[in-house]
Amino acid sequence: MSGHKMHHSRHAHHLSSKQCDHEGWTEGIVSLTDQHTATELLDDGAAGRHKAAAATSTPTIADHLAPAGPLLCDCEGMSPAEEWRARLEHALRSLEVEVEQRGELLADLGAPDGYGPTGLTPQQLDELVGAVAAHMDTHLGADLTVVRRRTLSAATLSGPPMHVADVLLRRRVGEAAPLEVRVAVVGNVDSGKSTMVGVLTRSVLDDGRGSARSKVFKHGHESETGRTSSIGQHNLCLDSQGEILNDAAFKTQSIADYVARASKVVTLVDLAGHEKYFKTTAYGLTGHLPDYACLIVGANAGVVGMCKEHLGVALALRVPCFFVVTKVDLAPEHVMKHTLDSLQQILKKPGVKKRPFLVRTRDDVLTCARHMHADSLAPIFLTSSVTGVGLDLIRLFYNLLPQRHNWFERTSQHAEFIIDETFGVPGVGTVVAGTVKRGVLVPNQTLMLGPDIADGSFKQVTIKSVHYKRLPVGRVVAGQTAALALKKVKRAAVRKGMVLVDERVRPKASWEFDADIAILTHSTTIQPRYQAVIHCEIVRQAARVVAMDRERLRSGDRACVRFRFLQRPEYLTPGTRFVFREGRTKGIGMVVGTEMSPTPIAGH
């Protein structure tokens, strides 16, 4: 018996340290220096996105309100009352534009870099808040919630103290579908991911023996072993004033009742932590297009095993991460300190370049929610699912967390829907679930479905009905997940990885694609004919290198290569980031051209 125990412990140590800690995703990124060309691809992704964001972000107020633009700086000749009114009008119109496009906004009222008149007394601030609330209610059907009031002291300003309010503006339930923010929940096995999801979505505390996680497991064997093996999507429904609608009676089957009253839905994508389910977790991080990654770290175990792997994949895909340290009630103080120190050391490494930020107050939550999209901040929350410590800060953070992409810009583009699950529903027929990447989808719309399993072609199909979180709706827009019932399509003709696109795009499947890649870790050299598994959004398939612009590649190198899929052609779009792996080899890349688009995208 003792021999068996010794063997078992040795085996566990082998899994956690040898296979995961050496030559893993995080180690590959951390080991990069400015001398490695691979670092450029990681940085280029960030720089490219910020440039794109600058180009596609909400137009400046001056663009929309040319006549009122100068009022921000030129109020000479006006009486104080006229200046107050002019600045208020300017703030109301600019806030209206922002909220109309984004659906919600966390705004500063009365601050020097915020909205409206500045240098306010408490009474004037109340007047400003009341005017904004009335305008939003009348013109947009939006609610205003005061999140925080604060005073900017005279020590930091040249004049008297300023009274400022941080307010949340959010549209109420109406014709517009709820805002959706997707968060991938990742971390090492047994760190408490499913328990945290269960506690948040069921508004209950855990009993320390798995009561919360049992409410979110999908399969029987998951309940028996306590380990997630599939991708689970669970929803946190919020109303227009930021109140959580989920209660202890919340069930996946009754979600439509909650979504019908929600103005914002945070979709928590619960992913597997065990090493043997890594390909499923990678599929969740790529195919479900998460806005953010929530990395769960057990305070008593630390940053070990697959926790590092998941962090590395999120970093490679440029998904902003925040960290939730669970089980703080279990961990002794010195263990807790070691866990936080090791996490902060990883985040400060040159290849990662993130700034750890320990969240302790509501003010900290506001700071993090404002700057999460910048991709350089790494908030760290300390929580316990049993005692409830820190859960109020997590809930506030999810409430304030903005969408990372400007989906409003994409709603006017041709429709594209990526399929990540298929079902056969009795009485309905074939149903596909996935994410609307571009455009708007409505019932009776005709789209092209492909690439076909047999020949890679695209065929016309018609959408019979549209459901959002089990709720029948008249339309879904870019940035939302949905389930679509298709007319006269056999279940066998649909698979994960297919897409529905507007026929004006003239979609074609590609056997080959060109990519700008960087090798994070590889024990020898990579040459043509090398094979690896590609994870590119919903595409998960082995591909072979058929051409390279260099003779061979080693760890830290960057090159342009041409991949050829081994099994079937896939639909790829230029500019998409992906990861690839084979054994201990890890790499990242960006699609720069396909057979559909022979001309590489600018800058590559």
Side-chain angles (χ1 to χ4, degrees), residues 24-344:
W25 289 97
T26 301
E27 278 69 25
I29 292 175
V30 164
S31 64
L32 295 178
T33 65
D34 291 337
Q35 282 70 44
H36 288 110
T37 52
T39 310
E40 298 169 12
L41 186 58
L42 279 170
D43 291 343
D44 282 355
R49 191 173 68 251
H50 292 319
K51 284 177 190 170
T56 61
S57 61
T58 308
T60 61
I61 305 309
D63 295 337
H64 282 285
L65 312 169
L71 295 177
L72 283 174
C73 54
D74 185 12
C75 294
E76 291 182 16
M78 292 185 181
S79 68
E82 288 174 333
E83 182 180 340
W84 165 277
R85 190 66 206 164
R87 289 187 184 276
L88 176 60
E89 285 292 329
H90 195 283
L92 293 177
R93 293 170 65 191
S94 55
L95 283 168
E96 185 179 337
V97 169
E98 295 262 5
V99 176
E100 188 173 17
Q101 291 193 356
R102 299 178 189 276
E104 70 172 2
L105 182 68
L106 186 59
D108 283 343
L109 298 185
D113 54 351
Y115 295 85
T118 57
L120 306 179
T121 64
Q123 294 75 22
Q124 289 173 321
L125 181 60
D126 288 339
E127 186 181 340
L128 174 60
V129 169
V132 173
H135 186 85
M136 290 292 135
D137 180 47
T138 307
H139 290 78
L140 285 179
D143 282 333
L144 180 148
T145 307
V146 178
V147 181
R148 173 180 65 171
R149 287 176 180 261
R150 55 199 165 101
T151 304
L152 301 180
S153 64
T156 58
L157 302 164
S158 55
M162 285 187 184
H163 293 272
V164 177
D166 295 87
V167 299
L168 175 66
L169 304 169
R170 182 178 293 160
R171 270 201 304 250
R172 290 194 289 270
V173 183
E175 289 185 10
L179 282 164
E180 185 176 350
V181 175
R182 280 185 296 285
V183 179
V185 183
V186 291
N188 196 41
V189 65
D190 299 333
S191 59
K193 298 182 294 299
S194 298
T195 297
M196 177 62 69
V197 171
V199 166
L200 290 173
T201 58
R202 268 57 178 185
S203 295
V204 295
L205 290 177
D206 188 45
D207 63 357
R209 295 186 297 277
S211 64
R213 72 185 182 192
S214 66
K215 298 178 187 297
V216 299
F217 280 147
K218 193 187 290 187
H219 303 296
H221 68 266
E222 293 179 330
S223 298
E224 290 167 15
T225 61
R227 286 178 176 169
T228 305
S229 64
S230 58
I231 298 173
Q233 293 194 42
H234 308 279
N235 304 284
L236 195 61
C237 301
L238 299 148
D239 67 13
S240 57
Q241 296 178 330
E243 296 297 321
I244 293 177
L245 300 174
N246 300 47
D247 52 31
F250 179 89
K251 289 181 181 169
T252 307
Q253 291 74 17
S254 61
I255 186 174
D257 301 336
Y258 294 84
V259 171
R261 295 180 282 133
S263 292
K264 179 177 182 177
V265 176
V266 179
T267 302
L268 301 175
V269 185
D270 186 20
L271 299 174
H274 198 277
E275 183 179 3
K276 70 178 179 181
Y277 303 124
F278 178 72
K279 69 174 185 178
T280 303
T281 302
Y283 182 75
L285 280 168
T286 57
H288 286 258
L289 308 183
D291 291 287
Y292 305 96
C294 169
L295 203 84
I296 306 282
V297 180
N300 55 343
V303 187
V304 294
M306 296 307 289
C307 177
K308 284 187 175 182
E309 298 297 272
H310 296 165
L311 171 60
V313 175
L315 291 172
L317 293 167
R318 305 303 297 185
V319 178
C321 297
F322 60 94
F323 300 82
V324 176
V325 179
T326 58
K327 307 184 185 180
V328 296
D329 54 324
L330 280 181
E333 191 174 332
H334 69 282
V335 176
M336 180 77 188
K337 185 175 183 303
H338 179 265
T339 297
L340 290 175
D341 288 346
S342 58
L343 178 58
Q344 290 174 351

Side-chain angles (χ1 to χ4, degrees), residues 513-535:
F513 67 96
D514 295 328
D516 185 358
I517 68 164
I519 311 301
L520 300 181
T521 60
H522 186 61
S523 53
T524 57
T525 59
I526 289 177
Q527 298 176 348
R529 299 185 63 78
Y530 171 78
Q531 293 181 14
V533 177
I534 306 284
H535 291 270

Side-chain angles (χ1 to χ4, degrees), residues 480-514:
Q480 293 184 312
T481 50
L484 313 175
L486 304 179
K487 288 183 182 176
K488 298 179 181 176
V489 176
K490 291 182 180 177
R491 166 84 190 277
V494 188
R495 63 170 176 87
K496 290 181 184 180
M498 295 176 79
V499 292
L500 284 163
V501 289
D502 194 297
E503 58 186 343
R504 287 171 288 184
V505 175
R506 296 181 181 169
K508 289 181 183 175
S510 302
W511 274 103
E512 296 183 354
F513 67 96
D514 295 328

Side-chain angles (χ1 to χ4, degrees), residues 293-299 303 311 321-326 328 336-348 354-361 364-365 367-369 372 376-383 390 393-394 397:
C294 169
L295 203 84
I296 306 282
V297 180
V303 187
L311 171 60
C321 297
F322 60 94
F323 300 82
V324 176
V325 179
T326 58
V328 296
M336 180 77 188
K337 185 175 183 303
H338 179 265
T339 297
L340 290 175
D341 288 346
S342 58
L343 178 58
Q344 290 174 351
Q345 282 173 10
I346 290 174
L347 294 174
K348 290 176 181 175
K354 286 192 181 290
R355 197 167 69 253
F357 190 102
L358 201 57
V359 178
R360 296 190 180 278
T361 64
D364 294 342
V365 174
T367 302
C368 293
M372 264 310 287
S376 60
L377 190 68
I380 302 171
F381 295 84
L382 305 180
T383 66
L393 298 180
I394 283 280
F397 184 65

Side-chain angles (χ1 to χ4, degrees), residues 545-582:
V545 175
V546 293
M548 297 166 50
D549 66 351
R550 299 176 56 167
E551 281 189 28
R552 55 182 61 85
L553 293 172
R554 293 183 175 84
S555 294
D557 286 348
R558 182 181 177 188
C560 276
V561 304
R562 173 162 290 185
F563 283 105
R564 181 175 177 82
F565 289 117
L566 298 184
Q567 292 174 290
R568 56 183 172 265
E570 301 281 7
Y571 180 79
L572 298 177
T573 50
T576 309
R577 188 173 281 275
F578 66 91
V579 295
F580 60 91
R581 61 191 180 89
E582 177 267 327

